[in-house]
Amino acid sequence: MTGDNGVTTCTLRLVEDVLPPSAQPVYLPAAERAIYVVEGDVTVEQPDGCQHQRADGAWLGGAPVALLAGSTGARLWRWELVAAGGEGDGLLRSAPGSSSALKLKADLEFDRRQDWLMRCDRVEFPKGGVALTHVHQGPGIRCCLYGEIRIDTEGRSGTFPAGHAWLERGYEPVLAPTTEREETAFIRCFILPRACKSRSSIRYVRPEDAAVPKTQRYHVFGERFITLGA
């Protein structure tokens, strides 16, 4: 949805899909999306080729796709950026034996003067690790893979164990401590200015925190330039 204030509103959603072993293909229409394989493996077919992904791998693209689960099935986290107010909710409805559930969705505003990219990555913490108070250059939805993380922002606090998702708008400062009981990791898909390509988007709010050794580790699965509302 495009407004007259120089802003485009899009919906970012995270859906969890569970595909049974060696099931018939699941077809998805074109959308700017990232698919992370939580368990099992999947082949992503698109008009100009295909790509096989095992657990802890991710695929990014914008074309219509067919998903083919491997011999043990697959559990997927699927992020999609679509036009706000568009038809459909992204859930699988014509795939017998498969299931899907909406974990989180949010309407987000983007400056049309900016060009954007989608990035999918994994962030890992040791026991008791913390991301010091920071902002990002764009919004995104995260989902805890294992462990537990607390998100403190704008006077609000929420705790997210494995399988739970949350939104960060980017411009709202976040302090993110993790549990002392075990290591923690989350998977993130967020939308950034194209100038952030291959660069970290994090900015620390307090100047003294920028020089402190950081406990978190990052692995970028991929990023690609996108068209808003496509």
Side-chain angles (χ1 to χ4, degrees):
M1 180 182 298
T2 300
D4 296 328
N5 57 353
V7 168
T8 295
T9 303
C10 297
T11 298
L12 180 63
R13 62 195 180 205
L14 169 58
V15 175
E16 180 175 88
D17 300 318
V18 178
L19 311 182
S22 304
Q24 292 295 312
V26 172
Y27 299 102
L28 298 174
E32 303 292 359
R33 63 169 55 94
I35 298 174
Y36 173 77
V37 183
V38 184
E39 297 172 354
D41 65 292
V42 69
T43 297
V44 183
E45 293 185 348
Q46 51 188 333
D48 59 354
C50 66
Q51 184 173 342
H52 181 251
Q53 290 290 347
R54 295 185 175 90
D56 197 34
W59 174 91
L60 291 85
V65 296
L67 305 179
L68 292 87
S71 60
T72 61
R75 181 160 67 98
L76 312 174
W77 289 346
R78 169 168 50 95
W79 287 262
E80 294 176 334
L81 186 71
V82 297
E87 295 182 1
D89 54 14
L91 300 183
L92 304 181
R93 302 191 187 280
S94 301
S98 300
S99 64
S100 61
L102 178 66
K103 283 187 168 291
L104 188 63
K105 71 173 182 178
D107 289 340
L108 303 169
E109 293 185 342
F110 298 93
D111 188 337
R112 291 203 305 274
R113 298 170 299 177
Q114 187 75 263
D115 293 320
W116 300 89
L117 64 82
M118 175 180 283
R119 178 182 297 167
C120 183
D121 64 359
R122 182 183 63 241
V123 185
E124 300 170 287
F125 296 85
K127 295 178 181 179
V130 58
L132 300 172
T133 304
H134 63 279
V135 295
H136 283 282
Q137 305 301 296
I141 291 177
R142 285 82 165 153
C143 195
C144 185
L145 185 63
Y146 55 81
E148 184 177 272
I149 189 168
R150 192 180 81 232
I151 303 298
D152 299 334
T153 180
E154 299 290 287
R156 307 182 305 273
S157 183
T159 300
F160 301 91
H164 289 246
W166 70 97
L167 169 72
E168 292 184 22
R169 295 191 177 275
Y171 56 80
E172 296 177 343
V174 168
L175 173 67
T178 67
T179 180
E180 298 274 0
R181 299 187 303 273
E182 58 184 321
E183 296 181 348
T184 294
F186 64 82
I187 307 301
R188 173 175 60 184
C189 180
F190 57 154
I191 312 303
L192 301 170
R194 290 189 185 184
C196 286
K197 179 179 179 293
S198 302
R199 296 188 177 95
S200 173
S201 71
I202 198 169
R203 303 290 184 269
Y204 291 96
V205 173
R206 300 188 304 175
E208 59 268 29
D209 286 345
V212 174
K214 307 304 184 294
T215 59
Q216 64 266 41
R217 305 181 304 275
Y218 302 91
H219 176 76
V220 177
F221 296 108
E223 58 185 15
R224 64 183 301 271
F225 294 163
I226 61 171
T227 300
L228 295 179

